[in-house]
Amino acid sequence: MFNFSANRLILLSRTECARCAVFVMKDDSTRRVYRLYDFTKSRIITPGKYYCVSGKVNSADKLYLVIESVRPDSKHTCASTAPVPADGAGGRPVR
């Protein structure tokens, strides 16, 4: 097991599985996308905000980034004040 931490992460999507909640988040500075696992299903992460996330990397047979703590990133703010759809999608509405 290894430690990981990342700042300036923004939520792209959230999926509820039987054993965990899976968050897909993007690091806005490096443009990397991470799949983060919350086995407690207790983390509340909302779209349109930056977060600091820390946890453990479990690499038994697959690479899992397991969340230990999440907090809003107070050093960075999102540039846009436009509302972000709940599913994380962007763009214009379809007519």
Side-chain angles (χ1 to χ4, degrees):
M1 292 261 228
F2 302 96
N3 293 326
F4 82 91
S5 66
N7 299 327
R8 208 170 171 186
L9 294 180
I10 194 159
L11 180 67
L12 296 178
S13 71
R14 181 185 192 278
T15 305
E16 186 84 22
C17 299
R19 297 172 74 187
C20 64
V22 181
F23 296 94
V24 177
M25 300 185 80
K26 182 175 86 170
D27 184 327
D28 225 18
S29 56
T30 64
R31 305 287 189 225
R32 290 184 178 148
V33 176
Y34 299 96
R35 184 176 294 154
L36 305 169
Y37 295 86
D38 176 19
F39 288 97
T40 64
K41 295 184 181 181
S42 64
R43 312 292 184 221
I44 298 173
I45 300 175
T46 57
K49 291 183 178 178
Y50 286 128
Y51 289 91
C52 298
V53 179
S54 64
K56 298 279 186 192
V57 177
N58 175 1
S59 57
D61 60 341
K62 281 188 171 181
L63 180 67
Y64 289 103
L65 300 177
V66 180
I67 297 173
E68 287 186 341
S69 72
V70 175
R71 63 180 174 80
D73 189 343
S74 59
K75 294 182 182 177
H76 301 98
T77 58
C78 290
S80 174
T81 58
V84 176
D87 65 358
R92 290 185 250 174
V94 177
R95 295 181 192 225

